[in-house]
């Protein structure tokens, strides 16, 4: 893919850790790629796997789900439940031929502004390599 | 002029108000077509419906709740229930909606000239009855007595509340309202509509009875009208079913071999009593 | 070999009990190799009951499909049990429904039917086309015997049974109040040869494969409706607000539909293969389910529909679940 | 006329400016899709799983487009002419039955354009399936109703019968490829057609059904028949005469459209009111409606039964609900 491809990434961030972590990165003036469309959710456990499918349908080139580190969930077990769910969803997406770089999950705490930068940079770089999502976005459908 | 059967006309909401409140509140919309040609060519008669909707959301078949005698506008009273009606309830004066129609048959207003009319409504079922009431009222000299019987669960659930006191003042017209359970300062009947009908005890002589309301009420009203010796062809009701196209193509609104959107919504009991799904 | 007279006697005895509402079994179909679910309400109905290699339907679907009509005022609700005949795979559906509390143990009476493999009608019709006369079939010494109009024919089991039977690890019912016939030997392989060939392809090739299949989906929802595990009162596929999946039929929505369907069966699919059997456009739906079965087994060492005391897989977790994929 | 099979590709290529649809593999099954290489055509095996109604009444069809928030509605009239090649006589007959619905009272503009702009080249059904019962429904393996041209497979060539002006136009462009059919050819075709008709073993006399159905409204047979029904859409989606549709709006970015898509009376949402009330609450009512619609209501309205005996619903029903079995139950039930 061309160097200048700017992937469109939808990021579901948990309110308590990852959103705060991203915020910290911002207030600390840590620079990271601006390709993210952030959707704040209360917990990574709230992210329905269909959100991921829907994001891809609606034009995302990749999706990132980020929550608290295991054991730190504000709701005790939300991220554990999410982990199981997405471990399977990831395999399913991959099995139908969606490049595995398009779905990412991370644990970023409220104090990990630097890690947030690394995660986002990694995801965006990977997606730049993978190129635009062309498998089943709605846009490709001829009305 | 738009002759495409599926292409809706754009109309502007002129005024809105709530008839009732709560989870399934009823809101009335007064709308005017944007296109002058459509406005001038639009004709409807009491009983007919229109597909109203919002582009990007969808359409719902709603009965036109005003009489053509009221002016060059349309009125719809919509209960907040599904996807489209919820979106419609968000509309305020100045917003756009789509209207196509009018659809369905009409009350046979010409045939009824010279006759007494009694309407028996319940809840939102008053919406399709309102145009015939207004129509008869506007042409009072051509019709006999007009009796309006209308009930709802509580006084707050009555639609068109402000209109009945005016209506009762019209010559040879009477209004009987009812609610299910006793309330303070309620001067009218307390009980169910079918029972009120028996109390009024209308004579079937030269009289047309029109009923609309929840299925259970319609069933009891029909039984009582039979007790009052109303012949089948003097009893009318309007049906509703889920609809999509409005022009007898999409297939879903049938009750037996009748398409409610084309053959109805107005039916005489003489016609319906042999239709198996009519009161399902 | 199964003794039909014994089966029918058992059925008669069962439906004569006061605590049984009706019995769900199979009967010969209207033509050829078809069989049909059979609702036995009286002794006469019991005479048509069969169990043979042609009994493909997973009847557990009917435990949750029956509409609950309102109980008339003053009447007592009918709490009698439904008797149901189950093959090995079907019994796993019953267990999984119990696990999820979709049904109650005291509301079903399970008649277990050990099964040596169910005929795949498409495979058989390719070998024996144009069969209108009703055909009976039975298992015998590892073969399947068919009484065809042209005479008796024996087919090697593995040639005509459904794909699911070749990988079946539970031919004997895992739950039963009473069992008909003798337990049979487990012959299915524990591997995932059926999907390995697709897994080893690259992402573009896999998508090319699925695009072609999913493109032909007509969204009749038979795969969902036939599934004993798809019993939500309101399915997200039917929801219009929000519309998770648009009703328009195209590659995008069809893919989303199939992903939703497969994922909602993650850790729940009991591999009865009904979705694939009923698909009118022959989409290999089992592949999606089998992929998840494989992942569930490898990552979480879990097999659904075995233990009625188990917890639903995705409703729980272990702190040390694998998380190599997480950044 | 006669068309040699090796000239089929040239025949199709000679049709100017029209898209040719024919039965081709789509995934694992046959459906009518645009023919890009005549070699992909599968006209001789069994009938297509998805009937050719999908060409004149696509499963999903844009009705009009608009921009979010705007009031300018741009209707999406279908354009282009089509030729449907290899249509079975039953499916062609089904189209003329469906015409009744789309052309009564108000014409459906989308269907009207697609239907007027398509020509039907039929292929006589010489090897009927086990569940074919077209002869009982007023058709036959070589019925010409609704077709513009009928082909009969003579082995090396097709006997070509031109039935309408539209058919004649198609042949004009390919005149050079056609040869005169001998009377022996015609005789051979007739023999094959008669043999096929005789091969159809499932029969029923449906003439009494419309009159019996109203009387059986409350009959317990509906409960029995529908007990095993899964409520899926196979029987209706794949029925060549089923025509019900749903209308929905869809938005992608700034652009929106209203489209219609096949719907099925076997789905509970089909009649579900927004209030939660459903006039057909269970599979019993829905099954009863399906049969009544085909064999009673449709007859009341359009004087023809909405079934052509193609056998698809029997072949593909997952639980062997057999429409012939239902009809014979209806026929045998005491009134």
């Amino acid at each position: 893919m061309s160097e200048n491809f700017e992937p469109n990434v939808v990021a579901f961030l948990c309110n308590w850790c990852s959103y705060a972590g991203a915020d910290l990165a911002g207030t600390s003036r840590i620079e990271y790629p601006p390709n993210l469309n952030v959707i704040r959710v209360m917990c990574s456990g709230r992210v329905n796997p269909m959100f991921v499918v829907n994001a891809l349908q609606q034009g995302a080139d990749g999706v990132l789900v980020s929550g608290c580190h295991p054991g730190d969930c504000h709701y005790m077990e939300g991220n554990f439940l999410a982990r199981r769910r997405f471990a399977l969803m990831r395999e399913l997406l991959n099995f139908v031929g969606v490049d595995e770089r398009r779905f990412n999950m991370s644990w970023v705490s409220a104090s990990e502004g630097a890690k947030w930068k690394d995660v986002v940079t990694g995801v965006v770089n990977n997606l730049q390599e993978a190129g635009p999502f062309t498998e089943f976005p709605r846009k490709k459908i001829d009305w | 002029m738009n002759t495409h059967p599926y292409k809706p006309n754009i109309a502007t909401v002129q005024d809105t108000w709530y008839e009732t409140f709560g989870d399934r509140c009823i809101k009335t919309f007064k709308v005017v077509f944007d296109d002058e040609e459509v406005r001038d060519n639009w004709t409807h008669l009491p009983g007919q419906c229109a597909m109203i909707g919002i582009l990007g959301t969808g359409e719902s078949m709603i009965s036109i709740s005003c009489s053509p005698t009221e002016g060059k506008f349309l009125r719809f009273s919509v209960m907040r229930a599904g996807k489209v009606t919820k979106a419609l309830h968000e509309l305020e004066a100045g917003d756009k909606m789509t209207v196509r129609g009018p659809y369905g048959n009409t009350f046979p207003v010409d045939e009824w000239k010279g006759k007494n009319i009694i309407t028996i409504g319940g809840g939102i079922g008053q919406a399709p009855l309102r145009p015939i009431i207004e129509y008869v009222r506007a042409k009072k000299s051509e019709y006999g007595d007009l009796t309006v019987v209308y009930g709802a669960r509580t006084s707050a659930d009555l639609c068109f509340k402000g209109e009945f006191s005016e209506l009762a003042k019209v010559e040879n017209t009477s209004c009987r309202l009812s609610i299910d359970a006793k309330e303070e300062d309620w001067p009218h009947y307390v009980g169910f509509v079918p029972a009120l009908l028996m109390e009024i005890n209308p004579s079937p002589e030269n009289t047309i009875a029109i009923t609309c309301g929840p299925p259970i009420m319609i069933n009891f009203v029909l039984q009582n009208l039979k007790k009052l010796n109303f012949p089948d062809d003097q009893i009318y009701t309007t049906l509703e079913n889920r609809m999509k196209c409005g022009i007898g193509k999409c297939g879903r609104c049938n009750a037996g071999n009748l398409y409610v959107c084309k053959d109805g919504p107005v039916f005489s009991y003489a016609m319906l009593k042999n239709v198996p799904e009519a009161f399902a | 070999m199964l003794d039909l007279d014994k089966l029918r006697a058992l059925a008669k005895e069962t439906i004569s009990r006061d605590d049984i509402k009706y019995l769900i079994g199979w009967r010969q179909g209207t033509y050829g190799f078809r069989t049909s679910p059979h609702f036995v309400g009286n002794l006469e109905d019991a005479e048509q009951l069969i169990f043979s290699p042609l009994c493909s339907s997973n009847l557990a679907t009917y435990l949750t499909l029956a509409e609950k009509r309102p109980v008339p005022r003053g009447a007592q609700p009918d709490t009698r049990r439904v008797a149901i005949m189950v093959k090995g795979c079907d019994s796993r559906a019953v267990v999984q429904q119990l696990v999820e509390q979709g049904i109650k143990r005291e509301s079903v009476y399970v008649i277990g039917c050990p099964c040596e493999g169910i005929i795949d009608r498409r495979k058989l019709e390719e070998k024996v086309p144009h069969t209108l006369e009703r055909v009976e079939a039975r298992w015998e010494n590892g073969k399947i015997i068919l009484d065809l109009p042209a005479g008796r024919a024996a087919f090697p089991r593995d040639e005509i049974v459904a794909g699911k039977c070749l990988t079946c690890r539970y031919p004997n019912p895992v739950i039963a109040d009473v069992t008909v016939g003798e337990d049979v030997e487990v012959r299915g392989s524990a591997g995932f040869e059926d999907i390995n060939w697709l897994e080893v392809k690259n992402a573009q090739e896999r998508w090319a494969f699925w695009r072609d299949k999913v493109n032909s989906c007509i969204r009749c929802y038979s795969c969902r409706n036939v599934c004993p595990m798809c019993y939500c009162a309101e399915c997200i596929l039917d929801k219009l607000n929000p519309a998770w999946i648009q009703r328009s039929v195209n590659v995008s929505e069809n893919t989303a539909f199939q992903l939703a369907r497969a994922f909602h069966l993650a850790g729940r699919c009991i591999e009865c293969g009904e979705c694939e059997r009923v698909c009118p456009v022959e989409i290999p739906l089992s592949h999606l389910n089998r992929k998840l079965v494989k992942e569930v087994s490898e990552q979480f060492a879990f097999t659904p529909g075995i233990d009625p005391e188990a917890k639903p897989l995705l409703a729980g977790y272990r702190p040390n679940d694998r998380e190599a994929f997480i950044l | 006329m006669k068309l040699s099979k090796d000239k089929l590709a040239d025949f199709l290529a000679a049709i100017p400016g029209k898209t040719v649809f024919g039965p081709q593999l789509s995934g694992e099954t046959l459906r009518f899709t645009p023919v890009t290489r005549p070699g992909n055509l599968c006209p001789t095996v069994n009938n297509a799983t998805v009937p050719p109604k999908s060409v004149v009444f696509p499963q999903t069809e844009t009705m009009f487009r608009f921009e979010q928030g705007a009031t300018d509605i741009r209707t999406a009239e279908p354009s282009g002419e089509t030729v449907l090649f290899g249509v079975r006589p039953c499916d062609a007959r089904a189209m003329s039955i469906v015409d009744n619905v789309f052309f009564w009272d108000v014409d459906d503009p989308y269907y009207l354009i697609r239907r007027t702009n398509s020509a039907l080249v039929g292929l006589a059904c010489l090897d009927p399936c086990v569940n074919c019962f077209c002869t009982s429904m007023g058709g036959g393996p070589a019925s010409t109703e609704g077709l513009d041209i009928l082909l009969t497979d003579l082995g090396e060539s097709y006997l070509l019968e031109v039935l309408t002006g539209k058919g004649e136009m198609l042949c004009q462009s390919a005149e050079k490829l056609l040869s005169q059919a001998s009377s022996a050819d015609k005789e051979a075709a007739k023999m094959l057609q008669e043999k096929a008709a005789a091969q159809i073993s499932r029969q029923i006399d449906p003439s009494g059904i419309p009159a019996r159905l109203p009387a059986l409204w409350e009959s317990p047979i509906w409960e029995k028949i529908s007990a095993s029904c899964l409520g899926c859409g196979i029987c209706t989606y794949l029925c060549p005469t089923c025509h019900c549709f749903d209308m929905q709006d869809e938005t992608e970015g700034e652009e929106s459209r209203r489209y219609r898509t096949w719907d099925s009376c076997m789905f509970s949402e089909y009649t579900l009111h927004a209030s939660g009330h459903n006039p057909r609450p269970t599979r019993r009512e829905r099954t009863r409606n399906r049969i009544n619609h085909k064999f009673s209501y449709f007859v009341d309205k359009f004087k023809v039964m909405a079934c052509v005996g193609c056998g698809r619903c029997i072949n593909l029903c997952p639980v062997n609900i057999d429409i012939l079995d239902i009809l014979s139950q209806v026929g045998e039930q005491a009134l």
Side-chain angles (χ1 to χ4, degrees):
Chain A
M1 254 305 132
S2 74
E3 288 276 309
N4 357 336
F5 168 61
E6 290 299 336
N8 188 358
V9 185
V10 173
F12 296 97
L13 307 188
C14 109
N15 177 56
W16 306 99
C17 292
S18 296
Y19 191 83
D23 204 28
L24 177 68
T27 49
S28 315
R29 313 221 163 192
I30 302 176
E31 255 185 62
Y32 61 89
N35 304 52
L36 259 53
N37 292 290
V38 174
I39 296 174
R40 174 156 61 157
V41 290
M42 289 313 281
C43 176
S44 53
R46 193 263 172 267
V47 183
N48 187 324
M50 284 308 291
F51 287 3
V52 177
V53 177
N54 231 278
L56 291 174
Q57 275 189 289
Q58 294 193 40
D61 299 304
V63 177
L64 170 65
V65 176
S66 189
C68 309
H69 284 272
D72 294 347
C73 178
H74 189 79
Y75 308 99
M76 313 311 289
E77 55 176 30
N79 53 0
F80 283 124
L81 295 170
R83 186 172 64 184
R84 273 202 167 178
R85 231 176 265 157
F86 287 109
L88 295 176
M89 192 60 183
R90 187 171 170 273
E91 292 299 331
L92 181 64
L93 282 172
N94 190 233
F95 185 61
V96 297
V98 176
D99 192 310
E100 54 192 353
R101 288 170 289 193
R102 301 201 188 276
F103 175 74
N104 302 277
M105 194 165 178
S106 63
W107 305 139
V108 174
S109 81
S111 61
E112 293 178 319
K115 181 176 179 188
W116 175 247
K117 174 199 165 155
D118 293 345
V119 166
V120 176
T121 315
V123 166
V124 171
N125 285 347
N126 277 342
L127 284 170
Q128 272 174 335
E129 267 170 44
F133 177 69
T134 55
E135 279 82 359
F136 57 90
R138 287 193 181 134
K139 217 172 251 158
K140 255 188 71 181
I141 306 303
D142 185 22
W143 276 359
Chain B
M1 184 66 191
N2 172 18
T3 54
H4 194 291
Y6 295 111
K7 184 181 171 184
N9 302 296
I10 306 291
T12 304
V13 178
Q14 269 200 341
D15 197 5
T16 68
W17 61 89
Y18 282 96
E19 300 287 351
T20 69
F21 297 89
D23 188 33
R24 295 226 158 151
C25 50
I26 297 166
K27 193 172 182 178
T28 298
F29 302 87
K30 184 179 170 188
V31 303
V32 173
F33 287 109
D34 284 11
D35 184 342
E36 234 168 87
E37 209 185 337
V38 176
R39 205 183 309 161
D40 292 338
N41 286 307
W42 177 278
T43 51
H44 78 271
L45 277 175
Q48 285 189 297
C49 305
M51 268 290 178
I52 67 173
I54 296 173
L55 289 177
T57 305
E59 291 179 314
S60 276
M61 189 67 111
I62 303 287
S63 56
I64 304 169
S65 63
C66 62
S67 156
T69 54
E70 290 178 74
K72 285 212 171 290
F73 61 85
L74 292 173
R75 258 178 72 164
F76 302 99
S77 292
V78 181
M79 185 189 273
R80 192 173 178 277
K83 176 183 169 187
V84 175
T85 52
K86 275 178 186 152
L88 281 169
H89 268 237
E90 304 290 313
L91 297 184
E92 293 301 338
D95 290 340
K96 303 284 182 198
M97 67 156 83
T98 63
V99 180
R100 59 188 175 95
Y103 292 128
N105 62 357
T106 71
F107 289 114
V109 283
D110 288 333
E111 253 176 63
W112 290 351
K113 279 189 178 154
K115 294 192 169 151
N116 304 320
I117 308 277
I118 175 167
T119 69
I120 306 142
I124 184 72
Q126 191 69 5
L129 296 178
R130 190 184 172 277
I132 185 74
I133 293 167
E134 288 302 318
Y135 189 86
V136 171
R137 174 189 175 175
K139 306 190 174 209
K140 196 72 199 52
S141 58
E142 295 173 35
Y143 293 88
D145 294 350
L146 173 66
T147 313
V148 176
V149 185
Y150 178 42
R153 270 187 307 136
T154 68
S155 60
D157 294 320
L158 288 166
C159 291
F160 319 123
K161 277 181 280 283
E163 299 181 355
F164 296 110
S165 52
E166 277 300 307
L167 187 62
K169 288 178 197 155
V170 178
E171 154 195 31
N172 298 333
T173 301
S174 65
C175 273
R176 297 295 303 269
L177 301 180
S178 87
I179 54 173
D180 291 358
K182 211 164 173 182
E183 281 175 33
E184 258 178 60
D185 302 327
W186 175 253
H188 307 286
Y189 186 83
V190 176
F192 296 121
V193 170
L196 173 58
L197 176 67
M198 290 313 273
E199 195 185 277
I200 297 165
N201 192 18
S203 155
E205 181 86 13
N206 197 32
T207 303
I208 299 289
I210 318 159
T211 180
C212 190
I216 183 94
M217 186 205 91
I218 293 192
N219 269 323
F220 281 108
V221 166
L222 289 174
Q223 283 173 27
N224 288 356
L225 285 170
K226 294 315 290 175
K227 278 186 211 154
L228 294 164
N229 294 322
F230 272 81
D232 292 345
D233 57 354
Q234 282 170 237
I235 303 173
Y236 281 78
T237 187
T238 73
L239 296 186
E240 60 161 2
N241 258 341
R242 191 171 190 170
M243 294 179 196
K244 289 287 175 181
C245 71
I247 53 173
K249 312 282 179 221
C250 80
R252 71 195 60 233
C253 69
N254 72 304
N257 61 357
L258 301 169
Y259 280 127
V260 173
C261 69
K262 285 293 340 172
D263 305 316
V266 174
F267 295 100
S268 73
Y269 186 56
M271 213 173 154
L272 279 191
K273 66 178 177 185
N274 297 320
V275 175
E277 280 180 316
F279 301 107
Chain C
M1 209 184 106
L2 183 91
D3 186 341
L4 274 187
D5 292 333
K6 267 193 198 154
L7 170 67
R8 288 169 187 166
L10 174 73
K12 285 178 185 170
E13 191 191 308
T14 308
I15 52 160
S16 306
R17 288 168 46 159
D18 290 338
D19 64 337
I20 300 289
K21 210 189 297 185
Y22 53 84
L23 181 150
I24 316 174
W26 299 272
R27 65 173 144 83
Q28 200 68 45
T30 56
Y31 70 93
F33 308 120
R34 300 301 296 264
T35 59
S36 176
H38 185 40
F39 292 74
V40 180
N42 55 42
L43 299 178
E44 203 184 313
D45 293 342
E47 282 301 325
Q48 293 157 17
L49 211 55
I50 60 161
F51 179 60
S52 80
L54 292 167
C55 296
S56 44
S57 287
N58 180 348
L59 304 173
T61 302
Y62 294 103
L63 294 177
T64 49
L65 188 68
E67 293 97 351
K68 289 181 187 65
R69 289 174 194 271
V71 181
R73 202 174 292 175
Q76 285 296 318
D78 189 345
T79 55
R80 289 177 299 166
R81 305 164 87 175
V82 172
I84 178 170
M85 289 173 64
V86 293
K87 308 184 290 283
C89 45
D90 311 349
S91 75
R92 291 180 61 195
V94 173
V95 169
Q96 188 60 24
Q97 288 177 349
L98 289 171
V99 164
E100 296 168 5
Q101 300 181 16
I103 55 169
K104 293 194 190 95
R105 185 65 184 90
E106 61 270 25
S107 64
V108 284
Y109 181 78
V110 183
I111 302 172
C113 307
C115 158
E116 292 178 58
I118 292 299
I119 293 173
D120 182 330
R121 184 162 67 100
R122 291 186 180 120
K123 285 185 191 166
L124 184 54
E125 282 179 352
E126 239 164 63
K127 291 180 190 289
V128 191
H130 280 286
T131 310
L132 180 62
E133 292 85 352
R134 294 173 193 197
V135 172
E136 285 179 13
R138 61 185 176 279
W139 296 280
E140 220 173 86
N141 305 327
K143 294 200 166 196
I144 292 176
I145 313 289
L146 289 159
D147 292 320
L148 297 171
R152 173 176 297 193
F155 290 90
R157 168 193 185 268
D158 290 359
E159 265 183 29
I160 54 169
V161 294
K164 64 165 179 174
C165 302
L166 298 174
T167 54
C168 173
R169 304 287 299 153
Y170 299 91
N172 299 305
V174 296
I175 188 172
D177 293 303
V178 59
T179 304
V180 183
E182 303 292 315
D183 272 9
V184 300
E185 176 200 346
V186 177
R187 292 204 265 179
S189 85
F192 288 88
E193 300 83 8
D194 51 332
I195 53 166
N196 287 345
W197 67 272
L198 185 54
E199 275 185 312
V200 298
K201 290 181 183 289
N202 69 32
Q204 281 90 22
E205 287 167 335
R206 284 197 300 270
W207 172 246
F209 173 83
W210 284 112
R211 184 191 51 217
D212 186 39
K213 308 290 176 203
V214 162
N215 204 12
S216 64
C217 175
I218 55 164
R219 302 268 289 275
C220 65
Y221 295 145
S222 56
C223 48
R224 173 195 68 179
N225 288 19
V226 80
C227 178
M229 304 323 303
C230 280
Y231 57 85
C232 291
E234 188 181 15
C235 176
I236 67 155
L237 303 175
D238 296 329
K239 269 186 102 77
L240 286 178
N241 204 13
W244 285 93
I245 290 151
Q246 301 285 349
R247 297 205 65 177
S248 54
V249 178
N250 54 49
V251 169
S252 180
E253 306 302 332
N254 292 2
T255 308
F257 158 51
Q258 289 302 348
L259 287 173
R261 195 195 62 82
F263 187 77
H264 283 183
L265 291 166
R268 305 173 64 231
C269 174
I270 47 79
E271 303 166 75
C272 66
E274 283 287 84
C275 45
E276 182 166 310
R277 175 182 73 89
V278 304
C279 181
V281 292
E282 301 176 34
I283 302 173
L285 295 167
S286 296
H287 287 4
L288 293 174
N289 296 338
R290 285 278 291 170
K291 171 65 181 170
L292 286 170
V293 167
K294 182 181 174 189
E295 292 302 324
V296 164
S297 153
E298 285 178 358
Q299 295 193 33
F300 307 112
F302 182 79
T303 310
I306 301 300
D307 173 12
E309 304 300 320
K311 267 203 147 167
L313 177 78
L314 291 185
Y317 63 93
R318 273 195 298 261
N320 59 346
D321 278 339
R322 256 199 245 173
E323 61 165 36
F325 71 99
I326 290 175
L327 301 172
Chain D
M1 306 264 233
K2 226 167 111 174
L3 172 68
S4 164
K5 274 190 182 171
D6 52 26
K7 290 198 181 122
L8 176 61
D10 299 332
F11 178 79
L12 295 178
I15 299 169
K18 297 186 185 189
T19 316
V20 179
F21 284 75
Q24 297 174 99
L25 267 186
S26 157
E28 300 291 319
T29 49
L30 289 181
R31 71 169 70 192
F32 280 76
T33 46
V35 180
T36 42
R37 269 191 309 178
N40 292 349
L41 273 175
C42 304
T44 48
V45 288
N46 287 348
N47 203 352
T49 303
V50 182
K53 77 168 176 186
S54 63
V55 178
V56 287
F57 176 44
Q59 179 156 18
T60 301
E61 179 173 35
T62 301
M63 305 180 89
F64 50 80
R65 302 183 177 86
F66 47 91
E67 252 114 72
Q68 269 304 74
T71 53
D72 178 30
I73 298 169
R74 308 185 304 275
T75 52
E77 256 78 37
S79 62
E81 297 197 21
T82 52
V83 174
L84 279 74
F85 181 85
V87 178
R88 298 298 166 125
C90 53
D91 290 342
R93 214 180 140 242
M95 279 196 211
S96 25
I97 289 173
V98 173
D99 287 351
N100 283 304
V101 179
F102 285 112
F103 299 149
W104 85 291
D105 194 59
V106 181
D107 287 347
D108 183 282
Y110 305 99
Y111 185 85
L112 177 71
I113 295 175
R114 287 190 202 272
R115 191 75 171 92
T116 333
N117 290 349
S118 60
L120 269 58
V121 180
L123 180 63
C125 208
L126 299 184
D127 189 17
C129 307
V130 278
N131 291 315
C132 288
F133 59 103
C134 51
T135 46
S136 298
M137 300 312 299
S143 148
T144 54
E145 187 181 345
L147 287 173
D148 298 302
I149 292 177
L150 176 68
L151 304 179
T152 307
D153 190 336
L154 296 173
E156 299 296 309
S157 59
Y158 293 113
L159 179 79
L160 191 145
E161 283 172 72
V162 180
L163 303 161
T164 63
K166 250 190 209 173
E168 222 155 276
M169 298 268 283
L170 282 183
C171 289
Q172 268 169 16
S173 48
E175 223 165 352
K176 283 187 209 133
L177 301 166
L178 302 174
S179 55
Q180 247 352 286
S182 66
S183 56
D185 290 332
K186 287 180 191 164
E187 199 53 40
K190 207 174 151 219
M191 292 270 287
L192 287 167
Q193 292 170 359
E194 276 167 9
K195 188 172 148 254
Q199 204 181 312
I200 292 176
S201 33
R202 299 201 73 171
Q203 311 273 352
I204 194 159
D205 173 14
S207 56
I209 302 288
R212 295 179 72 90
L213 278 170
L216 293 172
W217 186 256
E218 292 295 347
S219 164
I221 62 168
W222 302 117
E223 191 92 47
K224 263 196 120 105
I225 290 164
S226 65
S228 57
C229 174
L230 298 167
C232 74
I234 291 182
C235 52
T236 46
Y237 276 11
L238 298 182
C239 173
T241 67
C242 275
H243 54 265
C244 291
F245 61 85
D246 186 10
M247 286 161 65
Q248 293 289 339
D249 289 12
E250 187 174 279
T251 300
E252 171 49 50
E254 301 287 290
E255 181 87 350
S256 297
R257 67 162 170 169
R258 181 161 296 164
Y259 61 96
R260 67 173 171 199
T261 174
W262 293 353
D263 205 350
S264 167
C265 59
M266 304 310 286
F267 295 158
S268 62
E269 297 72 34
Y270 180 72
T271 49
L272 183 68
H273 291 192
S275 66
H277 171 73
N278 197 336
R280 291 185 206 127
T282 72
R283 291 165 292 144
R284 167 181 171 262
E285 288 84 14
R286 300 195 273 272
T287 307
R288 181 174 64 186
N289 177 70
R290 174 173 156 246
I291 300 299
N292 269 278
H293 187 222
K294 290 196 171 303
F295 297 97
S296 167
Y297 310 153
F298 209 90
V299 180
D300 285 348
K301 250 196 161 71
F302 304 119
K303 312 290 170 232
V304 59
M305 289 181 201
C307 172
V308 291
C310 71
R312 284 187 181 89
C313 58
I314 311 179
N315 285 335
L316 294 164
C317 177
V319 294
N320 188 222
I321 292 178
D322 184 322
I323 200 163
L324 280 176
D325 181 50
I326 299 176
L327 292 184
S328 59
Q329 286 191 50
V330 168
E332 286 159 13
Q333 217 42 224
L335 295 181

